[in-house]
Amino acid sequence: MPDTITTEVIHHGLLAAAQEMARNLCRTAYNTIVYEIHDYGVGIHDPDGNVVADAPGIASFTGANDFGVKRVLEVLGRSSLVAGDIILLNYPYWSGAHTLDALVIAPIVEHERLIAFASCRVHLLDLKQRHAGYVLDSTDMAEEGLFFPGVKLYAAGRPRPDIFNLVRFNSRMPERTLGDLQAQVSACQTGERLVQAMARRYGARELVEAMREINDHGARLALAGLSRLPTGTWSAIDYVDSDGIATDELVKLEVTVTVQPDRMVVDWSRTDRPARGPINLPRGRTLAVTMLAFKALTTPDSPVTSGNFRPLEVLTTPGSLMEAVPPMPTFTQWTGLLVPEVITKALAQGMASLIPACSGGDICDVMTLGPASWTGAPWLEAINDAVGFGGHAEGDGSDGITHVTQPGCRNNPIEVFETRAPVLIERYGYRVDSGGPGTHRGGVGVERTYHFLAPATAIVINYKTRTSPWGSAGGRPGRRNEVIVHPGTDHTRRVGASRNELLPGDRLTNLTGGGGGWGDPIGRDPALVAADVESGLVTVGRAAIDYGVVVDASTGLVDDAATQALRGAVPGGDRDGPSRPG
C-alpha cells in the first residue's frame, strides 16, 4: 500500500484529472447548458464504482454518477467490460436522474485489469421525449423519451453506428444532442488517459489501493464530523407546488432525521404517495440529494469521496414519491431540489446555531425554445436564475447565488444568451425586499425580464411558488418565487411550472425567492438595516415594517428616536401568506 504522502499526491492527481475532464467537456460541448451553465457532473471511480474524485457542476450528479456506475457493474458484469468500451446509461431507475441527464461511463483498464471508471453526465437537449425542451405532464415513463439501459456506445474502442443512429433519428435536435454526447465521450477518454498515466507511474495495484484508502479516509472524516453534531430525532414537512397533473394540489415531503454519534438515518417513508405526474424520484436521485445535505453537515471542507457517505442510511419505500419504480414518471425531478432543505429544516429544531434558514428554494429555470429563426434551425436556450440564501447564526445569507444543489453551476451570460435566442433581457438585478427579515437577513433573490422577438415557448420550471422559504430561530420567511407572464398588461398571469406560448413583443418576468431570516428582526443592528437600504436591498418602508427601523429617505441615516419608538410594535408573519397550507 502507498505511504500517506503518496496517497495524498495520488488523490490530488485524481482531482486534477477530473478537472481536466470537465475542461475538455466545456471546450467540446455544443450547448450553453453544458459549457456556460455547467449542467454536468464528472467523476473518477475505483474499480467497484465508488467515486474518489469529482468536478461537479450540479453537485447532486456526483452521488447519482456513483449510483449509476455501480448499477452498470451489476447489470453488465465486470467480465464484459474491456479497454475502449464507452457505456451510455439514461434509464432513470438505474441512472439516478431523468432521461435527458445521460451518463457516459468509461471503464479504465491497465494491462487487462479493470482499475477505475471515468464518468460524465450532462443534460442532453432532446431524446424524443413527449414535448420539446422539457416534460411537465407525463404520467408514464413511455412519454419521457428514449432509454439506454447501459448499452455500449463504443465497443473495444470502435463506435457503434447503430446506437448513434438511434440517437440521431430520435432527436428533434440531432446535431446538438450528438455533439454533446461526443463531448461526454471525449471527457471520459481524457479521464481514462490520465488515470492510466498514473497507473504507469505508481503501479496499477498501488493506485487501486490508494483509491481505497482515499475512501476509507473520507469515511473517517465523516464520522468525525458526525460526532460533533447534537444527537436526536427531528421531523419536518415541505411542499412541492404540484405534480404537473393535479396543478391545484400541493405535494408533501416529510422526513425524519435521526443523528447518532456514528450514524445518520434519513427516513422518507412517511412522505406523500406516488405522484401521478413526473415529479417522482428514482432512489438514486433521492440518495444523491440526501448525500448532498449530509456532506454539507459533516465534511463541507474536503473533496467528495464515496467513503464520506458510509455513516449515512437513507430509508425509502419502493413505489413511493421518493423511490419511483417502472413505469412511474420521473422526468421533472424538481422534488429533489427540496430534499436538502427539508432535511435542514428538521435539523434546525435541534441545532439552529449550525443550520441556515431556507434558501429561495428552487433553481427558477426559464427554458426558451422556438422554430427556426435567423439561425436556420430550431433553437433552445435556458437560464437557471439565482436565489437568496438563508440567514444563519454567523451572518446574513448570500444575495443572488445558485441554489444549494448546484454550487458548481453558473448563469447563462446575457451576452451569450441573446446571440443564440431571439430574446432580449430587458432587466436583470436584485429583487428588493425579498430577503427574509431577521437578526441576520436572508439573502435577496433576483429579477429578470425577457422580451421575446419571435414566436417562442417559455417553459417555466419552478415548483416553489406557492409556499415561502422558512426562517429560523425567530427569523421570518423570505419572499417566494414568482413568475409573471405579460407583466404590466391587462392580461397578466402569475404562473408556476408551465408551458407558455409567446409572440413577438411579449414579456415574461422571473422573480426569484429570497432566503429566510435568522433570529428576531428586532435584534438587527439599525446600522445594518440602513446599509441594506443604501444598497437597494431593502426599501425605507420595509425597514420600518419588518425591522422597526426608521431610515431618512433623503440622507440614508437612522432616526434613532423614531426607531426607538417604533420598535416593539413590528408585526410578524409571512409577507406572501402562509408558508404551508392552512
Side-chain angles (χ1 to χ4, degrees):
M1 176 176 167
D3 60 69
T4 302
I5 293 175
T6 302
T7 298
E8 187 68 8
V9 171
I10 288 173
H11 190 192
H12 282 271
L14 293 169
L15 290 167
Q19 291 290 344
E20 185 65 17
M21 290 172 64
R23 281 191 287 271
N24 280 3
L25 173 70
C26 290
R27 290 189 189 105
T28 55
Y30 275 46
N31 292 291
T32 56
I33 289 173
V34 180
Y35 65 79
E36 291 290 356
I37 295 177
H38 289 185
D39 192 331
Y40 62 70
V42 168
I44 295 174
H45 310 250
D46 72 14
D48 296 320
N50 300 301
V51 66
V52 291
D54 78 332
I58 295 181
S60 60
F61 279 179
T62 298
N65 287 13
D66 189 277
F67 185 86
V69 173
K70 291 172 183 174
R71 286 311 306 264
V72 162
L73 264 173
E74 179 183 333
V75 172
L76 297 185
R78 195 179 300 267
S79 62
S80 72
L81 304 175
V82 300
D85 284 351
I86 301 286
I87 297 150
L88 174 60
L89 174 67
N90 77 330
Y91 186 58
Y93 318 98
W94 294 354
S95 73
H98 71 173
T99 320
L100 295 187
D101 288 336
L103 176 61
V104 170
I105 303 165
I108 302 174
V109 177
E110 181 69 10
H111 298 308
E112 300 186 356
R113 178 185 178 184
L114 179 64
I115 61 170
F117 292 91
S119 70
C120 178
R121 186 189 302 267
V122 308
H123 178 88
L124 299 178
L125 289 192
D126 196 280
L127 287 172
K128 207 178 181 180
Q129 67 279 3
R130 178 180 180 182
H131 301 299
Y134 225 82
V135 179
L136 305 177
D137 59 355
S138 54
T139 57
D140 186 280
M141 62 181 283
E143 301 172 288
E144 298 187 343
L146 191 65
F147 297 123
F148 295 94
V151 301
K152 290 190 178 182
L153 194 60
Y154 283 68
R158 297 177 66 86
R160 292 188 56 190
D162 54 341
I163 303 300
F164 279 100
N165 281 334
L166 277 173
V167 175
R168 186 185 311 277
F169 292 103
N170 285 279
S171 176
R172 298 173 179 88
M173 300 180 178
E175 181 181 4
R176 295 171 71 182
T177 299
L178 284 169
D180 284 345
L181 187 59
Q182 286 284 38
Q184 291 178 265
V185 172
S186 175
C188 286
Q189 290 175 333
T190 298
E192 180 182 23
R193 173 176 54 81
L194 294 172
V195 172
Q196 285 173 332
M198 294 179 69
R200 289 190 291 271
R201 179 175 182 180
Y202 297 103
R205 177 176 297 177
E206 289 76 9
L207 178 60
V208 170
E209 289 177 349
M211 290 180 182
R212 289 182 178 138
E213 172 53 28
I214 289 165
N215 271 315
D216 288 345
H217 179 63
R220 292 192 293 270
L221 289 176
L223 284 169
L226 191 56
S227 69
R228 293 190 287 268
L229 298 178
T231 59
T233 298
W234 305 276
S235 297
I237 293 173
D238 209 340
Y239 298 87
V240 185
D241 277 359
S242 79
D243 68 355
I245 304 298
T247 56
D248 59 344
E249 295 180 12
L250 293 168
V251 180
K252 183 182 73 173
L253 274 74
E254 183 170 358
V255 70
T256 297
V257 185
T258 299
V259 179
Q260 300 171 347
D262 60 349
R263 187 173 68 146
M264 179 183 289
V265 180
V266 180
D267 185 354
W268 295 103
S269 60
R270 295 175 61 188
T271 205
D272 248 3
R273 62 191 183 283
R276 186 180 171 210
I279 66 166
N280 301 291
L281 300 184
R283 179 166 167 83
R285 173 72 168 163
T286 298
L287 287 173
V289 284
T290 303
M291 289 160 65
L292 180 60
F294 182 80
K295 174 73 176 170
L297 288 163
T298 56
T299 56
D301 299 321
S302 64
V304 169
T305 72
S306 185
N308 289 153
F309 309 107
R310 288 181 195 167
L312 174 65
E313 182 179 354
V314 182
L315 304 179
T316 56
T317 303
S320 70
L321 182 71
M322 307 304 282
E323 188 179 344
V325 297
M328 291 170 59
T330 63
F331 196 96
T332 312
Q333 294 182 23
W334 250 240
T335 309
L337 300 182
L338 273 65
V339 163
E341 292 187 306
V342 72
I343 291 172
T344 54
K345 185 178 184 181
L347 293 174
Q349 298 169 58
M351 49 185 90
S353 63
L354 302 176
I355 302 292
C358 189
S359 80
D362 204 291
I363 63 173
C364 305
D365 192 335
V366 175
M367 180 178 287
T368 58
L369 62 152
S373 56
W374 71 80
T375 62
W379 57 275
L380 186 156
E381 292 295 329
I383 295 178
N384 294 352
D385 256 323
V387 294
F389 270 38
H392 50 91
E394 302 299 320
D396 296 344
S398 297
D399 301 310
I401 60 174
T402 55
H403 187 256
V404 293
T405 57
Q406 301 191 327
C409 291
R410 310 185 303 191
N411 282 157
N412 195 344
I414 292 173
E415 297 83 356
V416 174
F417 179 84
E418 290 182 341
T419 64
R420 286 161 173 76
V423 183
L424 293 177
I425 303 299
E426 285 191 341
R427 176 179 174 83
Y428 179 48
Y430 285 138
R431 183 187 183 190
V432 65
D433 287 333
S434 58
T439 304
H440 302 300
R441 174 182 53 79
V444 299
V446 301
E447 175 180 350
R448 188 190 299 265
T449 296
Y450 299 76
H451 178 186
F452 293 86
L453 306 179
T457 299
I459 306 175
V460 175
I461 318 174
N462 191 329
Y463 284 80
K464 188 68 174 173
T465 64
R466 297 175 61 195
T467 55
S468 300
W470 46 270
S472 183
R476 297 184 195 153
R479 289 282 294 277
R480 66 183 63 159
N481 299 295
E482 186 175 9
V483 183
I484 305 173
V485 182
H486 309 304
T489 70
D490 59 3
H491 52 288
T492 292
R493 292 186 292 115
R494 284 171 168 76
V495 301
S498 57
R499 296 179 73 92
N500 303 275
E501 301 304 323
L502 300 172
L503 297 173
D506 287 345
R507 290 171 172 81
L508 179 150
T509 296
N510 191 22
L511 301 161
T512 75
W518 193 98
D520 186 347
I522 297 303
R524 187 164 180 80
D525 185 341
L528 294 178
V529 177
D532 289 339
V533 171
E534 183 180 14
S535 299
L537 304 178
V538 176
T539 59
V540 168
R542 294 311 307 192
I545 294 169
D546 294 331
Y547 295 98
V549 175
V550 179
V551 179
D552 187 295
S554 59
T555 66
L557 299 177
V558 175
D559 184 327
D560 292 327
T563 295
Q564 190 171 22
L566 181 61
R567 281 198 153 178
V570 176
D574 181 352
R575 294 168 293 169
D576 289 325
S579 60
R580 57 187 298 171

